[in-house]
Amino acid sequence: MHAEETTHIQVQAPDKAKIRKIWMTAGLLAIITALEFLVAFTIPLEMEVTRVTIFVGMTIVKAFYIVGEFMHLKYEVKVLIWSILIPMIFIVWMLVAFVYEGMSIFDDRYLN
């Protein structure tokens, strides 16, 4: 029995297209994040609803891009995408409705 074992490792050259795609994705996410910071810190406090709406919208766009790119949903069948997207929309709607209803109950109970 030999003390040394030989292995055959084949080194492949890096795929330039994949590396470029990764950097493009990172750049796009960095740009969206920079715009989020710009919106968060430059829009005056008097326009809070507008600021929050823009900020949340950009965050959702970034989240969809991350899910599509890194979870590879962009390359899947459209039915799979819709089966994930529609329940998520209803869950977000439900959370907004519960928060709104909870604020109304709080206002009625403690502020009136």
Side-chain angles (χ1 to χ4, degrees):
M1 206 156 148
H2 291 106
E4 296 180 20
E5 291 186 23
T6 59
T7 58
H8 300 285
I9 299 175
Q10 183 178 11
V11 178
Q12 295 179 351
D15 188 1
K16 302 282 186 185
K18 287 183 182 178
I19 293 172
R20 187 172 194 282
K21 178 73 173 167
I22 290 170
W23 280 110
M24 290 294 289
T25 300
L28 181 65
L29 292 174
I31 289 169
I32 294 173
T33 302
L35 289 174
E36 285 176 342
F37 271 96
L38 186 71
V39 165
F41 293 119
T42 58
I43 294 181
L45 292 176
E46 295 81 26
M47 300 175 62
E48 183 176 356
V49 174
T50 304
R51 180 177 54 146
V52 169
T53 303
I54 293 171
F55 187 72
V56 168
M58 291 173 70
T59 302
I60 289 172
V61 167
K62 188 167 69 170
F64 278 125
Y65 187 74
I66 289 170
V67 168
E69 192 64 38
F70 294 119
M71 293 178 66
H72 306 288
L73 283 181
K74 186 166 72 173
Y75 310 106
E76 292 292 336
V77 182
K78 297 297 180 194
V79 174
L80 177 63
I81 295 171
W82 285 110
S83 69
I84 293 170
L85 185 62
I86 289 174
M88 189 193 74
I89 290 170
F90 283 124
I91 290 171
V92 169
W93 173 78
M94 180 185 66
L95 289 174
V96 169
F98 285 164
V99 167
Y100 182 75
E101 186 68 24
M103 287 172 35
S104 297
I105 291 171
F106 178 81
D107 289 345
D108 288 343
R109 189 173 291 171
Y110 297 109
L111 299 179
N112 288 335

